[in-house]
Amino acid sequence: KFAPETPLHALAFDKDLQYVASGGEDNAVTLWRISDSERLWTSPAYAGPVAGVPVHVIASLSFRPDGASLISANWDNTITYWDVVTGRTQRLLRHRTDNPSRVTLSPDQRWLAYSGDLQPVTIWDLRSDTGCRKLSEGGTLVAFTPDSREVLVSESTGAIRLRNVQTGKDTIEFTEPDGFVSGTFSSDAKLLATTSSSRFVRLWDVERGTETVRMQLPTTTRFNFPGRDPRALGFSGNTS
């Protein structure tokens, strides 16, 4: 049992399920150990290169694949790297996306992508540190493919596009008629799972762009997130 003191906006689990990170309206990131629910550290409520600049809300959290760092997207237009062991700031990136609501790191750790409400989906090349560029004029960031070559972007029209990171060109399009919420790929990138605001979970054949399975969650299922929409998805290791 975890007991955050203020409403949460973001949760993230490390790949080994040893830790869970939380953040929200307390303007701070907290790391918890899952085995005994112990709070390991909480970041300062203010962060940034200029003293006194508040991190208004922690909107999104993501662990790096190597588990060494935790990345947060904050409403003061910064993205912060936190050392998982010490809780200290490792790196701070400033960008032009107002109130970023989602941030994700590509599996090869080269690309950092983020988006905000009605804001462009933006990608940052961390290897060359050449700054950011737009992948779309609007929409919502979803997920990278396992090979890091493409990223899934949800448009306001309901279309979900698989977009090449290097060229910005679409390779395939899915249609989610009930309002897209979240998505994730299987480890072999053959399947895509999405959730919708109408509580449907859909499985898609990525190569064909066609829906293969549709499941509706029971109305008795409860979600402790704003809007009560299903947001957490995951495949088992054998994609079953």
Side-chain angles (χ1 to χ4, degrees):
K1 180 180 180 180
F2 305 96
E5 298 173 357
T6 59
L8 294 179
H9 286 246
L11 282 173
F13 294 86
D14 75 312
K15 64 174 183 166
D16 298 323
L17 297 180
Q18 296 184 60
Y19 308 111
V20 59
S22 64
E25 295 181 10
D26 58 355
N27 308 336
V29 175
T30 299
L31 187 72
W32 310 80
R33 185 164 53 216
I34 294 176
S35 60
D36 57 6
S37 303
E38 182 177 348
R39 184 197 303 250
L40 300 178
W41 53 260
T42 297
S43 70
Y46 295 91
V50 180
V53 176
V55 181
H56 301 293
V57 169
I58 306 299
S60 179
L61 291 166
S62 177
F63 280 92
R64 284 181 56 177
D66 62 9
S69 301
L70 175 68
I71 306 171
S72 66
N74 317 316
W75 278 13
D76 67 345
N77 295 356
T78 62
I79 292 173
T80 308
Y81 280 61
W82 306 95
D83 185 294
V84 169
V85 175
T86 66
R88 295 177 180 174
T89 301
Q90 295 177 322
R91 188 177 185 183
L92 187 75
L93 304 176
R94 287 197 171 275
H95 54 84
R96 298 179 181 178
T97 299
D98 293 333
N99 297 347
S101 57
R102 297 197 183 198
V103 60
T104 188
L105 189 68
S106 63
D108 65 1
Q109 303 188 40
R110 176 177 180 178
W111 308 102
L112 182 71
Y114 53 89
S115 65
D117 295 337
L118 304 178
Q119 297 289 325
V121 175
T122 305
I123 194 161
W124 200 305
D125 188 341
L126 296 175
R127 289 183 185 173
S128 61
D129 205 17
T130 53
C132 55
R133 57 185 172 87
K134 296 179 182 178
L135 273 184
S136 77
E137 291 299 326
T140 303
L141 169 70
V142 182
F144 281 95
T145 53
D147 62 8
S148 302
R149 295 179 180 177
E150 295 169 306
V151 66
L152 198 63
V153 176
S154 171
E155 305 284 359
S156 57
T157 59
I160 309 171
R161 306 180 191 275
L162 196 56
R163 190 156 295 169
N164 186 282
V165 173
Q166 295 277 15
T167 67
K169 295 182 178 180
D170 294 340
T171 57
I172 201 165
E173 179 179 322
F174 310 88
T175 301
E176 176 54 84
D178 299 311
F180 175 84
V181 176
S182 64
T184 190
F185 289 95
S186 61
S187 58
D188 58 8
K190 293 182 178 180
L191 293 175
L192 168 67
T194 64
T195 62
S196 68
S197 56
S198 60
R199 308 175 75 87
F200 277 105
V201 176
R202 288 179 168 87
L203 291 182
W204 306 82
D205 183 305
V206 173
E207 183 177 352
R208 296 182 175 89
T210 56
E211 180 183 324
T212 60
V213 177
R214 182 188 307 183
M215 301 168 283
Q216 187 169 27
L217 298 172
T219 56
T220 54
T221 305
R222 298 182 61 185
F223 298 97
N224 296 317
F225 292 95
R228 306 300 185 191
D229 292 328
R231 294 172 182 255
L233 280 174
F235 283 95
S236 64
N238 59 5
T239 322
S240 60

Short mmCIF file of all heavy atoms in Angstrom, two decimals, residues 62-105:
data_model
loop_
_atom_site.label_atom_id
_atom_site.label_comp_id
_atom_site.label_asym_id
_atom_site.label_seq_id
_atom_site.Cartn_x
_atom_site.Cartn_y
_atom_site.Cartn_z
N SER A 62 8.69 8.11 -16.53
CA SER A 62 9.16 6.97 -17.31
C SER A 62 10.55 6.58 -16.85
O SER A 62 11.42 7.43 -16.70
CB SER A 62 9.18 7.33 -18.80
OG SER A 62 9.69 6.27 -19.57
N PHE A 63 10.75 5.28 -16.59
CA PHE A 63 12.09 4.78 -16.25
C PHE A 63 12.89 4.55 -17.53
O PHE A 63 12.34 4.10 -18.54
CB PHE A 63 12.01 3.46 -15.48
CG PHE A 63 11.69 3.60 -14.03
CD1 PHE A 63 10.38 3.55 -13.59
CD2 PHE A 63 12.71 3.75 -13.09
CE1 PHE A 63 10.07 3.67 -12.24
CE2 PHE A 63 12.42 3.87 -11.75
CZ PHE A 63 11.10 3.83 -11.32
N ARG A 64 14.19 4.84 -17.49
CA ARG A 64 15.05 4.43 -18.58
C ARG A 64 15.14 2.90 -18.58
O ARG A 64 15.02 2.26 -17.53
CB ARG A 64 16.45 5.02 -18.42
CG ARG A 64 16.54 6.48 -18.78
CD ARG A 64 17.96 7.00 -18.63
NE ARG A 64 18.92 6.23 -19.41
CZ ARG A 64 20.21 6.54 -19.48
NH1 ARG A 64 20.69 7.58 -18.80
NH2 ARG A 64 21.04 5.82 -20.20
N PRO A 65 15.33 2.30 -19.75
CA PRO A 65 15.39 0.83 -19.82
C PRO A 65 16.47 0.22 -18.92
O PRO A 65 16.29 -0.90 -18.43
CB PRO A 65 15.69 0.56 -21.30
CG PRO A 65 15.11 1.73 -22.01
CD PRO A 65 15.34 2.90 -21.10
N ASP A 66 17.59 0.94 -18.70
CA ASP A 66 18.64 0.39 -17.85
C ASP A 66 18.34 0.57 -16.37
O ASP A 66 19.08 0.08 -15.51
CB ASP A 66 19.99 1.00 -18.19
CG ASP A 66 20.04 2.51 -17.98
OD1 ASP A 66 19.08 3.07 -17.41
OD2 ASP A 66 21.04 3.13 -18.39
N GLY A 67 17.24 1.25 -16.04
CA GLY A 67 16.83 1.41 -14.66
C GLY A 67 17.64 2.40 -13.86
O GLY A 67 17.38 2.59 -12.66
N ALA A 68 18.61 3.08 -14.46
CA ALA A 68 19.48 3.99 -13.72
C ALA A 68 18.86 5.35 -13.51
O ALA A 68 19.22 6.06 -12.56
CB ALA A 68 20.82 4.14 -14.44
N SER A 69 17.94 5.74 -14.39
CA SER A 69 17.34 7.07 -14.32
C SER A 69 15.83 7.00 -14.44
O SER A 69 15.27 6.07 -15.03
CB SER A 69 17.89 7.98 -15.43
OG SER A 69 19.28 8.11 -15.37
N LEU A 70 15.20 8.01 -13.87
CA LEU A 70 13.77 8.19 -13.97
C LEU A 70 13.54 9.55 -14.63
O LEU A 70 14.20 10.53 -14.27
CB LEU A 70 13.14 8.17 -12.58
CG LEU A 70 11.65 8.46 -12.44
CD1 LEU A 70 10.83 7.35 -13.08
CD2 LEU A 70 11.27 8.62 -10.97
N ILE A 71 12.64 9.61 -15.61
CA ILE A 71 12.41 10.84 -16.36
C ILE A 71 11.02 11.37 -16.03
O ILE A 71 10.04 10.62 -16.07
CB ILE A 71 12.53 10.60 -17.87
CG1 ILE A 71 13.88 9.97 -18.19
CG2 ILE A 71 12.37 11.91 -18.64
CD1 ILE A 71 14.01 9.50 -19.62
N SER A 72 10.94 12.65 -15.73
CA SER A 72 9.65 13.28 -15.45
C SER A 72 9.40 14.42 -16.42
O SER A 72 10.32 15.14 -16.80
CB SER A 72 9.58 13.81 -14.01
OG SER A 72 10.49 14.88 -13.82
N ALA A 73 8.14 14.57 -16.84
CA ALA A 73 7.69 15.73 -17.61
C ALA A 73 6.90 16.61 -16.66
O ALA A 73 6.00 16.14 -15.96
CB ALA A 73 6.84 15.30 -18.79
N ASN A 74 7.26 17.88 -16.62
CA ASN A 74 6.71 18.78 -15.62
C ASN A 74 6.00 19.95 -16.29
O ASN A 74 6.34 20.35 -17.40
CB ASN A 74 7.84 19.31 -14.73
CG ASN A 74 8.82 18.22 -14.34
OD1 ASN A 74 8.42 17.12 -13.98
ND2 ASN A 74 10.11 18.50 -14.45
N TRP A 75 5.05 20.52 -15.61
CA TRP A 75 4.24 21.58 -16.19
C TRP A 75 4.96 22.92 -16.30
O TRP A 75 4.38 23.88 -16.77
CB TRP A 75 2.94 21.74 -15.40
CG TRP A 75 1.90 20.74 -15.80
CD1 TRP A 75 2.09 19.63 -16.56
CD2 TRP A 75 0.54 20.75 -15.45
NE1 TRP A 75 0.93 18.94 -16.72
CE2 TRP A 75 -0.06 19.60 -16.04
CE3 TRP A 75 -0.26 21.60 -14.69
CZ2 TRP A 75 -1.40 19.30 -15.91
CZ3 TRP A 75 -1.60 21.29 -14.54
CH2 TRP A 75 -2.17 20.16 -15.14
N ASP A 76 6.19 23.00 -15.87
CA ASP A 76 6.95 24.24 -16.06
C ASP A 76 7.78 24.16 -17.34
O ASP A 76 8.74 24.89 -17.52
CB ASP A 76 7.84 24.54 -14.86
CG ASP A 76 8.97 23.53 -14.71
OD1 ASP A 76 8.89 22.47 -15.35
OD2 ASP A 76 9.90 23.81 -13.96
N ASN A 77 7.39 23.23 -18.23
CA ASN A 77 8.05 23.06 -19.54
C ASN A 77 9.47 22.54 -19.40
O ASN A 77 10.36 22.90 -20.17
CB ASN A 77 8.05 24.36 -20.34
CG ASN A 77 6.64 24.79 -20.73
OD1 ASN A 77 5.68 24.08 -20.46
ND2 ASN A 77 6.53 25.95 -21.33
N THR A 78 9.71 21.69 -18.44
CA THR A 78 11.01 21.03 -18.29
C THR A 78 10.82 19.52 -18.27
O THR A 78 9.75 19.01 -17.91
CB THR A 78 11.74 21.44 -17.01
OG1 THR A 78 10.97 21.05 -15.87
CG2 THR A 78 11.99 22.94 -16.98
N ILE A 79 11.86 18.82 -18.66
CA ILE A 79 11.94 17.37 -18.52
C ILE A 79 13.18 17.09 -17.70
O ILE A 79 14.28 17.57 -18.01
CB ILE A 79 12.03 16.69 -19.89
CG1 ILE A 79 10.69 16.87 -20.64
CG2 ILE A 79 12.36 15.22 -19.75
CD1 ILE A 79 10.72 16.38 -22.05
N THR A 80 13.01 16.34 -16.62
CA THR A 80 14.08 16.13 -15.65
C THR A 80 14.47 14.67 -15.57
O THR A 80 13.61 13.79 -15.53
CB THR A 80 13.66 16.62 -14.24
OG1 THR A 80 13.17 17.96 -14.34
CG2 THR A 80 14.83 16.57 -13.28
N TYR A 81 15.78 14.41 -15.56
CA TYR A 81 16.33 13.08 -15.32
C TYR A 81 16.71 13.00 -13.83
O TYR A 81 17.45 13.84 -13.32
CB TYR A 81 17.60 12.84 -16.14
CG TYR A 81 17.39 12.47 -17.58
CD1 TYR A 81 16.74 13.32 -18.45
CD2 TYR A 81 17.83 11.24 -18.07
CE1 TYR A 81 16.55 12.99 -19.78
CE2 TYR A 81 17.66 10.90 -19.40
CZ TYR A 81 17.02 11.78 -20.24
OH TYR A 81 16.84 11.44 -21.56
N TRP A 82 16.20 11.97 -13.15
CA TRP A 82 16.50 11.77 -11.73
C TRP A 82 17.33 10.49 -11.56
O TRP A 82 17.04 9.48 -12.18
CB TRP A 82 15.22 11.62 -10.91
CG TRP A 82 14.24 12.75 -11.09
CD1 TRP A 82 13.19 12.78 -11.95
CD2 TRP A 82 14.24 14.00 -10.40
NE1 TRP A 82 12.52 13.97 -11.84
CE2 TRP A 82 13.13 14.74 -10.90
CE3 TRP A 82 15.04 14.56 -9.41
CZ2 TRP A 82 12.83 16.02 -10.45
CZ3 TRP A 82 14.74 15.83 -8.97
CH2 TRP A 82 13.65 16.55 -9.47
N ASP A 83 18.34 10.55 -10.71
CA ASP A 83 19.11 9.37 -10.36
C ASP A 83 18.25 8.48 -9.47
O ASP A 83 17.78 8.91 -8.42
CB ASP A 83 20.39 9.77 -9.63
CG ASP A 83 21.31 8.59 -9.36
OD1 ASP A 83 20.92 7.70 -8.57
OD2 ASP A 83 22.41 8.55 -9.91
N VAL A 84 18.02 7.24 -9.88
CA VAL A 84 17.12 6.35 -9.15
C VAL A 84 17.66 6.05 -7.75
O VAL A 84 16.88 5.92 -6.79
CB VAL A 84 16.90 5.05 -9.94
CG1 VAL A 84 16.18 4.00 -9.10
CG2 VAL A 84 16.09 5.33 -11.20
N VAL A 85 18.96 5.95 -7.59
CA VAL A 85 19.54 5.60 -6.29
C VAL A 85 19.50 6.78 -5.33
O VAL A 85 19.09 6.65 -4.18
CB VAL A 85 20.99 5.09 -6.46
CG1 VAL A 85 21.63 4.85 -5.10
CG2 VAL A 85 21.01 3.83 -7.30
N THR A 86 19.91 7.96 -5.80
CA THR A 86 20.07 9.10 -4.90
C THR A 86 18.91 10.10 -4.94
O THR A 86 18.73 10.87 -4.01
CB THR A 86 21.36 9.86 -5.23
OG1 THR A 86 21.23 10.45 -6.54
CG2 THR A 86 22.56 8.93 -5.20
N GLY A 87 18.15 10.09 -6.02
CA GLY A 87 17.08 11.07 -6.17
C GLY A 87 17.58 12.43 -6.64
O GLY A 87 16.80 13.39 -6.71
N ARG A 88 18.84 12.54 -7.00
CA ARG A 88 19.39 13.82 -7.45
C ARG A 88 19.13 14.04 -8.94
O ARG A 88 18.98 13.10 -9.70
CB ARG A 88 20.89 13.87 -7.18
CG ARG A 88 21.25 13.84 -5.70
CD ARG A 88 22.76 13.80 -5.52
NE ARG A 88 23.13 13.77 -4.11
CZ ARG A 88 24.38 13.63 -3.67
NH1 ARG A 88 25.38 13.51 -4.55
NH2 ARG A 88 24.62 13.61 -2.37
N THR A 89 19.08 15.32 -9.32
CA THR A 89 18.89 15.67 -10.73
C THR A 89 20.15 15.35 -11.52
O THR A 89 21.25 15.78 -11.17
CB THR A 89 18.57 17.17 -10.87
OG1 THR A 89 17.39 17.47 -10.13
CG2 THR A 89 18.35 17.53 -12.33
N GLN A 90 19.99 14.60 -12.62
CA GLN A 90 21.10 14.28 -13.50
C GLN A 90 21.16 15.20 -14.72
O GLN A 90 22.23 15.54 -15.20
CB GLN A 90 21.00 12.83 -13.99
CG GLN A 90 21.13 11.78 -12.92
CD GLN A 90 20.95 10.39 -13.50
OE1 GLN A 90 20.12 10.16 -14.38
NE2 GLN A 90 21.72 9.44 -13.00
N ARG A 91 19.99 15.59 -15.19
CA ARG A 91 19.93 16.38 -16.41
C ARG A 91 18.60 17.12 -16.46
O ARG A 91 17.59 16.60 -15.99
CB ARG A 91 20.08 15.47 -17.64
CG ARG A 91 20.24 16.18 -18.96
CD ARG A 91 20.45 15.15 -20.07
NE ARG A 91 20.73 15.78 -21.35
CZ ARG A 91 20.91 15.13 -22.48
NH1 ARG A 91 20.83 13.81 -22.51
NH2 ARG A 91 21.16 15.77 -23.61
N LEU A 92 18.62 18.31 -17.03
CA LEU A 92 17.40 19.11 -17.15
C LEU A 92 17.29 19.62 -18.57
O LEU A 92 18.23 20.23 -19.10
CB LEU A 92 17.43 20.27 -16.17
CG LEU A 92 16.14 21.09 -16.09
CD1 LEU A 92 15.08 20.33 -15.30
CD2 LEU A 92 16.40 22.43 -15.44
N LEU A 93 16.16 19.35 -19.23
CA LEU A 93 15.91 19.80 -20.59
C LEU A 93 14.76 20.79 -20.57
O LEU A 93 13.74 20.56 -19.91
CB LEU A 93 15.56 18.63 -21.50
CG LEU A 93 16.56 17.48 -21.58
CD1 LEU A 93 16.01 16.36 -22.45
CD2 LEU A 93 17.90 17.96 -22.12
N ARG A 94 14.91 21.89 -21.31
CA ARG A 94 13.83 22.87 -21.44
C ARG A 94 13.30 22.82 -22.86
O ARG A 94 14.05 22.68 -23.82
CB ARG A 94 14.33 24.28 -21.10
CG ARG A 94 14.57 24.47 -19.61
CD ARG A 94 14.64 25.95 -19.25
NE ARG A 94 14.67 26.12 -17.81
CZ ARG A 94 13.61 26.17 -17.04
NH1 ARG A 94 12.40 26.07 -17.58
NH2 ARG A 94 13.72 26.32 -15.74
N HIS A 95 11.99 22.96 -23.00
CA HIS A 95 11.35 22.85 -24.30
C HIS A 95 10.22 23.86 -24.40
O HIS A 95 9.97 24.63 -23.47
CB HIS A 95 10.82 21.44 -24.51
CG HIS A 95 9.92 20.97 -23.42
ND1 HIS A 95 8.58 21.28 -23.39
CD2 HIS A 95 10.17 20.26 -22.29
CE1 HIS A 95 8.04 20.76 -22.29
NE2 HIS A 95 8.98 20.13 -21.62
N ARG A 96 9.53 23.84 -25.54
CA ARG A 96 8.50 24.84 -25.81
C ARG A 96 7.09 24.27 -25.78
O ARG A 96 6.14 24.94 -26.18
CB ARG A 96 8.76 25.50 -27.16
CG ARG A 96 10.09 26.24 -27.20
CD ARG A 96 10.32 26.86 -28.57
NE ARG A 96 11.61 27.55 -28.62
CZ ARG A 96 12.09 28.15 -29.70
NH1 ARG A 96 11.39 28.12 -30.82
NH2 ARG A 96 13.27 28.74 -29.67
N THR A 97 6.94 23.04 -25.35
CA THR A 97 5.61 22.45 -25.26
C THR A 97 4.97 22.83 -23.94
O THR A 97 5.50 22.54 -22.87
CB THR A 97 5.69 20.91 -25.36
OG1 THR A 97 6.24 20.56 -26.63
CG2 THR A 97 4.31 20.29 -25.23
N ASP A 98 3.83 23.51 -24.00
CA ASP A 98 3.16 23.93 -22.77
C ASP A 98 2.52 22.74 -22.08
O ASP A 98 1.81 21.95 -22.70
CB ASP A 98 2.07 24.97 -23.09
CG ASP A 98 2.65 26.28 -23.59
OD1 ASP A 98 3.80 26.58 -23.21
OD2 ASP A 98 1.97 26.98 -24.36
N ASN A 99 2.79 22.61 -20.79
CA ASN A 99 2.18 21.57 -19.97
C ASN A 99 2.29 20.18 -20.59
O ASN A 99 1.30 19.55 -20.93
CB ASN A 99 0.71 21.88 -19.69
CG ASN A 99 0.53 23.15 -18.90
OD1 ASN A 99 1.48 23.69 -18.35
ND2 ASN A 99 -0.70 23.64 -18.84
N PRO A 100 3.51 19.67 -20.77
CA PRO A 100 3.65 18.32 -21.35
C PRO A 100 2.95 17.28 -20.50
O PRO A 100 3.14 17.23 -19.29
CB PRO A 100 5.17 18.11 -21.37
CG PRO A 100 5.69 19.00 -20.30
CD PRO A 100 4.80 20.20 -20.30
N SER A 101 2.13 16.45 -21.13
CA SER A 101 1.35 15.48 -20.38
C SER A 101 1.88 14.06 -20.54
O SER A 101 1.53 13.19 -19.74
CB SER A 101 -0.12 15.52 -20.81
OG SER A 101 -0.23 15.29 -22.20
N ARG A 102 2.73 13.84 -21.57
CA ARG A 102 3.29 12.51 -21.77
C ARG A 102 4.73 12.63 -22.22
O ARG A 102 5.08 13.51 -23.00
CB ARG A 102 2.49 11.73 -22.83
CG ARG A 102 1.05 11.48 -22.45
CD ARG A 102 0.44 10.39 -23.28
NE ARG A 102 -0.97 10.22 -22.93
CZ ARG A 102 -1.67 9.14 -23.22
NH1 ARG A 102 -1.12 8.14 -23.84
NH2 ARG A 102 -2.94 9.06 -22.89
N VAL A 103 5.55 11.74 -21.70
CA VAL A 103 6.95 11.68 -22.11
C VAL A 103 7.36 10.21 -22.16
O VAL A 103 6.95 9.42 -21.31
CB VAL A 103 7.86 12.48 -21.16
CG1 VAL A 103 7.78 11.95 -19.73
CG2 VAL A 103 9.31 12.46 -21.64
N THR A 104 8.13 9.84 -23.15
CA THR A 104 8.60 8.46 -23.23
C THR A 104 9.97 8.42 -23.89
O THR A 104 10.30 9.27 -24.73
CB THR A 104 7.60 7.58 -24.02
OG1 THR A 104 7.99 6.21 -23.92
CG2 THR A 104 7.55 7.97 -25.49
N LEU A 105 10.76 7.46 -23.48
CA LEU A 105 12.11 7.28 -24.00
C LEU A 105 12.10 6.06 -24.91
O LEU A 105 11.51 5.03 -24.58
CB LEU A 105 13.09 7.07 -22.85
CG LEU A 105 14.58 7.07 -23.15
CD1 LEU A 105 15.06 8.43 -23.59
CD2 LEU A 105 15.36 6.60 -21.94
#
